[in-house]
Amino acid sequence: MRKNIVAGNWKMNTTVNEGVKLVSEIIEKSKDLSNVKLIVAPPFTHIFSVGEKLKGTDIGLSSQNCASEAKGAYTGEVSAEMLANIGVEYAIIGHSERREYYKECSETLLKKVKLALANGIAPIFCVGENLTEREENRHFDVVKQQIEEVVFNIDENDFEKIIIAYEPVWAIGTGKTATSEQAQEIHAHIRKVLSNKFAEKAENTSILYGGSCKPSNAKEIFAQPDVDGGLIGGAALNADDFIAIAKSF
Ligand code: PEP
């Protein structure tokens, strides 16, 4: 059975104090939630403090990235081992902002995914097309290639730990959302692509939608059979909105 998941990507927002306050509110307001797994992904500087707050709760702790190398002379990088060592359970890998601004390609992302898995961290692997690719009707091929180049190169046991986030780049932070039909059709496509390699195991993969998801549209999107939750950006910075989204199941 696949899990319903709502993950909050805080991006480069909040100070440590603000992040700890935000997670405290999320803990408080999520007490009666039972059918959805919540995950928060604070900036690196807050992970330890937020993790301390999360102790004894069911809320998962994620990073927004990890290094593509295991250790050594890589100034400014944070390794999967370091993250695992402070209790990180998930890592967002391949977010479109990383792909676009930091030129992360599939080769790099595969290294990150493998290192995360080797350290017991579950990757939240992001895929999605940009506006031109959507307008040229290439979105199905784009996500297929993104998955084949990375996810197809991990072994079957590791595949069970992967979460996929479909995030159309044209919907991220723009206020534009994919319609629930658009979300369903591409999520079903992603599951089909995964099943080409991992057969029925793809049925158990949680596939999250991301892109201007908010309390007003989450219910319709999450009602789609192949949408198993959301990766939330802007709305994850407000505890009420984040919890309202999680209550949309
Ligand atoms: C994201 O960046 O993962 C995201 C979905 O952002 P937003 O919800 O702000 O569009």
Side-chain angles (χ1 to χ4, degrees):
M1 254 287 279
R2 54 194 190 240
K3 273 196 206 132
N4 295 331
I5 297 171
V6 170
N9 174 12
W10 297 2
K11 308 194 185 188
M12 197 171 71
N13 292 299
T14 70
T15 61
V16 177
N17 286 348
E18 288 164 351
V20 168
K21 182 165 175 280
L22 176 57
V23 81
S24 304
E25 286 173 20
I26 291 171
I27 294 167
E28 193 52 43
K29 291 172 199 275
S30 64
K31 291 222 158 97
D32 54 341
L33 266 181
S34 56
N35 59 344
V36 51
K37 171 82 183 172
L38 292 183
I39 298 173
V40 292
F44 282 135
T45 45
H46 319 7
I47 289 181
F48 183 79
S49 312
V50 168
E52 288 294 297
K53 280 274 161 200
L54 290 179
K55 282 192 176 146
T57 76
D58 286 334
I59 302 176
L61 182 62
S62 178
S63 63
Q64 301 173 15
N65 186 20
C66 72
S68 57
E69 304 298 331
K71 61 162 67 180
Y74 298 99
T75 303
E77 290 295 288
V78 178
S79 73
E81 184 185 14
M82 293 170 186
L83 293 168
N85 187 247
I86 57 164
V88 168
E89 306 159 272
Y90 304 88
I92 298 172
I93 295 177
H95 191 281
S96 63
E97 288 153 13
R98 303 286 324 166
R99 291 178 188 261
E100 187 182 343
Y101 306 146
Y102 303 97
K103 306 289 172 247
E104 293 188 359
C105 60
S106 290
E107 195 186 335
T108 304
L109 298 177
L110 177 58
K111 289 193 299 176
K112 293 185 178 206
V113 164
K114 284 187 167 169
L115 280 166
L117 288 163
N119 284 281
I121 293 175
I124 302 174
F125 181 65
C126 303
V127 297
E129 79 286 356
N130 64 30
L131 186 58
T132 311
E133 291 160 344
R134 166 69 62 167
E135 285 173 348
E136 292 173 355
N137 212 26
R138 289 193 285 125
H139 44 294
F140 293 111
D141 290 340
V142 168
V143 298
K144 181 169 186 273
Q145 187 175 347
Q146 289 169 334
I147 288 171
E148 286 177 348
E149 287 177 350
V150 177
V151 184
F152 277 26
N153 290 304
I154 60 174
D155 73 33
E156 284 209 13
N157 292 336
D158 280 340
F159 172 67
E160 290 172 9
K161 295 165 200 142
I162 282 225
I163 298 163
I164 303 284
Y166 166 68
E167 301 204 299
V169 180
W170 47 271
I172 296 179
T174 58
K176 285 186 197 153
T177 321
T179 63
S180 48
E181 292 78 17
Q182 285 173 324
Q184 169 54 25
E185 98 181 320
I186 199 140
H187 279 231
H189 168 73
I190 289 169
R191 202 176 301 286
K192 173 81 187 44
V193 169
L194 294 172
S195 74
N196 293 341
K197 167 94 178 171
F198 299 103
E200 67 280 355
K201 285 193 171 168
E203 278 305 307
N204 295 325
T205 306
S206 293
I207 306 178
L208 315 183
Y209 169 79
S212 300
C213 194
K214 37 190 184 273
S216 57
N217 58 27
K219 204 175 185 66
E220 203 186 327
I221 297 173
F222 293 176
Q224 302 305 310
D226 285 291
V227 178
D228 309 304
L231 179 55
I232 318 298
L237 295 170
N238 177 295
D240 286 320
D241 286 351
F242 186 59
I243 298 303
I245 291 170
K247 287 188 173 165
S248 302
F249 277 106

